[in-house]
């Protein structure tokens, strides 16, 4: 009888371990699926904001054209002419940072733009008639400060 009870006890433990393993696997798979859909959903939202920002920049460019200027200024760090950000914010208030990376002065057309919000980085390119939008998710692996450097044995 003792061996039978021991065998039944072992079988119960194995069943319980299998059930716990199945539950853990289901939770892990569920978490992965949720994360993928969350990242994809947020990426679509950030892409929509980037497209709205581009449309606001195009509208601001029309206003600047009337003044004999354009929204693009390559001497500025972000490529945007002074005062354009207030024109853009009248039309659409972007939640992230944007930068013009390319501009066609003949057609008065933005040919390159970046938009950054949180971990998402959106790149816009206009090549001829083709329009390309890329949405990247950045994952920070390491942050380095100057305080981490040991100088003169300190």
């Amino acid at each position: 009888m003792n061996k039978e009870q021991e065998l039944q006890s072992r079988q119960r433990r194995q069943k319980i371990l299998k059930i716990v393993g199945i539950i853990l696997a289901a939770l892990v798979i569920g978490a992965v699926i949720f994360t993928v859909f969350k990242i994809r959903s947020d990426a679509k939202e950030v892409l929509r904001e980037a497209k709205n920002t581009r449309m606001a920049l195009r509208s601001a460019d029309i206003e600047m054209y009337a003044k004999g200027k354009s929204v693009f200024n390559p001497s500025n760090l972000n490529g945007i002419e002074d005062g354009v950000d207030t024109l853009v914010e009248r039309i659409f208030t972007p939640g992230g940072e944007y930068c013009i990376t390319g501009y066609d002065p003949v057609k008065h057309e933005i040919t390159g733009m970046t938009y950054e919000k949180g971990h998402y980085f959106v790149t816009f390119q206009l090549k001829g008639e083709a329009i390309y939008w890329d949405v990247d998710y950045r994952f920070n692996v390491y942050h380095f400060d100057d305080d981490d450097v040991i100088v003169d044995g300190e």
Side-chain angles (χ1 to χ4, degrees), residues 61-70 87 90:
D61 194 36
I62 292 169
E63 288 186 37
M64 296 295 283
Y65 179 71
K67 297 175 185 176
K69 298 179 181 180
S70 74
L87 292 173
R90 280 193 314 179

Side-chain angles (χ1 to χ4, degrees), residues 95-111:
E97 299 291 323
Y98 55 94
C99 176
I100 297 176
T101 58
Y103 187 80
D104 185 354
V106 175
K107 294 181 181 177
H108 285 278
E109 185 77 40
I110 296 171
T111 58

Side-chain angles (χ1 to χ4, degrees), residues 44-57:
K44 287 181 181 182
E45 180 183 329
V46 172
L47 176 61
R48 175 56 43 210
E49 287 183 21
K51 287 182 175 184
N52 288 340
T53 302
R54 177 177 172 252
M55 294 301 291
L57 281 167

Side-chain angles (χ1 to χ4, degrees), residues 127-142:
K127 294 182 180 177
E129 295 296 317
I131 294 176
Y132 301 100
W133 290 94
D134 292 317
V135 182
D136 296 314
Y137 184 81
R138 293 188 303 174
F139 182 72
N140 189 12
V141 177
Y142 181 69

Side-chain angles (χ1 to χ4, degrees), residues 36-90:
V36 167
F37 281 113
K38 176 73 172 140
I39 288 173
R40 190 167 179 86
S41 169
D42 289 348
K44 287 181 181 182
E45 180 183 329
V46 172
L47 176 61
R48 175 56 43 210
E49 287 183 21
K51 287 182 175 184
N52 288 340
T53 302
R54 177 177 172 252
M55 294 301 291
L57 281 167
R58 289 179 75 183
S59 296
D61 194 36
I62 292 169
E63 288 186 37
M64 296 295 283
Y65 179 71
K67 297 175 185 176
K69 298 179 181 180
S70 74
V71 293
F72 184 61
N73 185 350
S75 62
N76 287 346
L77 185 61
N78 59 1
I80 298 171
E81 182 65 58
D82 296 331
V84 170
D85 53 347
T86 57
L87 292 173
V88 168
E89 288 183 11
R90 280 193 314 179

Side-chain angles (χ1 to χ4, degrees), residues 27-41:
L27 287 174
V28 168
I29 291 170
V32 168
I33 290 171
F34 174 78
T35 302
V36 167
F37 281 113
K38 176 73 172 140
I39 288 173
R40 190 167 179 86
S41 169

